[in-house]
Amino acid sequence: MTVQSPSRPRPQDPPPTTVERTPMAPRAAWRRRLTRADEKASPYAYISPFFILFGVVGLFPLGYTAWVSLHKWSLIGGQGAFVGLKNYTDVLGQPYFWNALKNTVSIFLLSSVPQIIIALLIAAALDSNLRARTFWRMGVLLPYVLAPVAVALIFSDLFGDKFGLVNHLLGLVGIDPVQWHKEVLPSHVAIATMVNFRWIGYNALIFLAAMQAVPRDYYEAALIDGAGRVRTFISITIPQLRATIIFVIVTSTIGGLQIFDEPRMYDQYGLGGADRQWQTLTLYLYQLGWTQKNFGRAAAVAWMLFLIIVIFAIINFLLTRRIASKGSR
C-alpha cells in the first residue's frame, strides 16, 4: 500500500490582465484627458480667428479712440495733455454737433424704414412662381455691386436744382422745381433715395433666403383654409422671419447712422451743404479730424456716435422683438 503525499497547491500565475494594465494605465488616462480637452477646446479654437481679428481691427481701435478722446492730440505732436471729458463737453456745446445729429437721424429714418418695407415686398415677389427667377434675383443685387461714389455722383445729377431729371419730370406734371441742394428735407430725401437704391436689393435677398426656409406645409394649410396671399404673408411669413427682421433692422441702424459716402459726394464741396443742411455726424467727425486737425474732439464724436448706435440698436431690437412676439401669438 503506497501512501501518497498530499499534493502541494500549484502556484497560480498572476492574471495576464494585471500585468498588461499596469504599464498602459497612465497612457490611457493621458489619452482620456487629451480627448476631454480636445472636446472642450476645439469649438473655441475654431471660432478664435474671428475674435482675434475682431480684437485687432475692432476692439483695439475702439479703445485707442477712447484714449485719444481724453487727451489733446495733434497730427504732428501726437499725444498732448490729459483733458478728461473736456473734449466731450466742448463737442456737446457746439450747435453743429446737434445739427449733424438731427440730420443723421432724419436721413436714417427716411432710408431705413422704406428700405426694409420695400425689401420685404420684393422678397415676397421673388419667392413666388416667377419666370426667370434667377435673373430677377441677380438684378436686384446689381445696385449693391455698384461703387457708392458712382451712385452718389449719378443721383446728385438726377436731383439737380436746375437741370436735374427729377425736376424735369416734376415739371411735366405741373409741379414747381424742388431745391434738392438748398432745402433741408428735399436734400435728406435725395440722399435717402441713394441709400435705398443700393441696399434694398441686398436686404431683399436676405429676406428671400429666410422665406425659403419656411416650411411649405404652413402655406398649403393656409390655402386649404381659404387664406389669401396677403393674409398668408402677414400671418405666416412675417412671424417666421422674426429673427431675420431683427438682424436686418439692427444692421440697417448701424449702417444708417454711419452714413458717409452719399452725403460726402452729394455736392462738389463735400461739407454737407452751404448751411450744413445735410451734414451728418460722420461728416462732422471728418471735418474736425482732417480739416481742423482736432483729433481729440473727433475721437469724442466717434465715441458718442458709437454710443448713439448702441442705444438705437437696443431700442430697435426690443421694439421689433415685442412686435414680432405679439404677431406670432
Side-chain angles (χ1 to χ4, degrees):
M1 180 177 181
T2 58
V3 179
Q4 296 179 355
S5 60
S7 60
R8 295 180 181 179
R10 181 179 295 179
Q12 297 181 356
D13 296 332
T17 54
T18 305
V19 178
E20 293 177 359
R21 283 181 182 174
T22 302
M24 294 295 294
R27 188 177 301 175
W30 178 248
R31 287 178 179 175
R32 285 195 297 270
R33 292 195 192 103
L34 285 179
T35 302
R36 288 197 213 100
D38 180 66
E39 291 176 353
K40 293 181 180 179
S42 292
Y44 299 99
Y46 294 148
I47 63 175
S48 61
F50 166 77
F51 289 99
I52 294 173
L53 185 63
F54 176 73
V56 172
V57 302
L59 293 181
F60 174 73
L62 188 64
Y64 191 73
T65 302
W67 176 259
V68 173
S69 67
L70 301 176
H71 295 79
K72 285 186 177 180
W73 211 283
S74 64
L75 181 62
I76 299 176
Q79 180 179 342
F82 178 81
V83 295
L85 299 178
K86 186 176 183 303
N87 288 325
Y88 292 88
T89 57
D90 290 344
V91 169
L92 292 175
Q94 295 291 328
Y96 293 143
F97 170 80
W98 298 105
N99 176 69
L101 177 60
K102 180 187 68 175
N103 294 337
T104 302
V105 174
S106 175
I107 295 173
F108 158 68
L109 293 176
L110 289 173
S111 59
S112 296
V113 176
Q115 179 185 137
I116 295 173
I117 295 174
I118 298 173
L120 269 172
L121 297 177
I122 292 176
L126 293 175
D127 194 37
S128 60
N129 294 325
L130 290 176
R131 293 183 178 179
R133 286 180 296 180
T134 304
F135 170 77
W136 294 112
R137 291 172 185 177
M138 292 177 59
V140 298
L141 193 61
L142 286 178
Y144 175 74
V145 180
L146 297 177
V149 175
V151 174
L153 291 175
I154 293 172
F155 273 82
S156 63
D157 291 336
L158 290 177
F159 288 98
D161 295 341
K162 294 183 179 180
F163 306 106
L165 179 61
V166 176
N167 276 342
H168 176 71
L169 296 177
L170 293 177
L172 295 178
V173 295
I175 300 177
D176 294 334
V178 179
Q179 301 298 318
W180 298 104
H181 287 77
K182 294 181 181 180
E183 300 179 5
V184 177
L185 183 59
S187 62
H188 293 182
V189 171
I191 295 173
T193 304
M194 302 183 209
V195 178
N196 291 333
F197 174 77
R198 287 195 63 226
W199 290 98
I200 282 177
Y202 175 82
N203 290 328
L205 290 185
I206 294 178
F207 285 134
L208 176 62
M211 287 180 185
Q212 291 182 339
V214 178
R216 297 298 166 179
D217 298 340
Y218 296 165
Y219 297 105
E220 294 175 0
L223 291 176
I224 293 173
D225 292 338
R229 295 179 62 89
V230 177
R231 181 64 178 174
T232 304
F233 180 76
I234 295 174
S235 301
I236 297 178
T237 305
I238 297 297
Q240 293 294 322
L241 298 182
R242 184 182 72 173
T244 306
I245 292 174
I246 293 174
F247 169 77
V248 171
I249 288 178
V250 172
T251 54
S252 298
T253 301
I254 296 172
L257 294 176
Q258 290 181 333
I259 183 173
F260 178 79
D261 296 332
E262 288 81 1
R264 178 73 173 83
M265 301 300 300
Y266 189 54
D267 66 351
Q268 58 182 343
Y269 303 105
L271 299 177
D275 296 328
R276 301 173 186 260
Q277 57 266 37
W278 68 82
Q279 185 183 58
T280 60
L281 282 175
T282 52
L283 283 178
Y284 181 60
L285 186 156
Y286 178 84
Q287 183 182 8
L288 286 176
W290 300 107
T291 303
Q292 301 180 11
K293 302 297 188 295
N294 195 331
F295 293 106
R297 290 188 182 180
V301 173
W303 249 91
M304 285 189 284
L305 177 60
F306 168 74
L307 296 178
I308 291 170
I309 291 173
V310 170
I311 293 171
F312 269 84
I314 293 174
I315 293 174
N316 284 334
F317 173 76
L318 295 177
L319 290 177
T320 308
R321 185 177 181 182
R322 186 169 182 178
I323 293 172
S325 60
K326 286 183 177 180
S328 60
R329 286 198 294 268

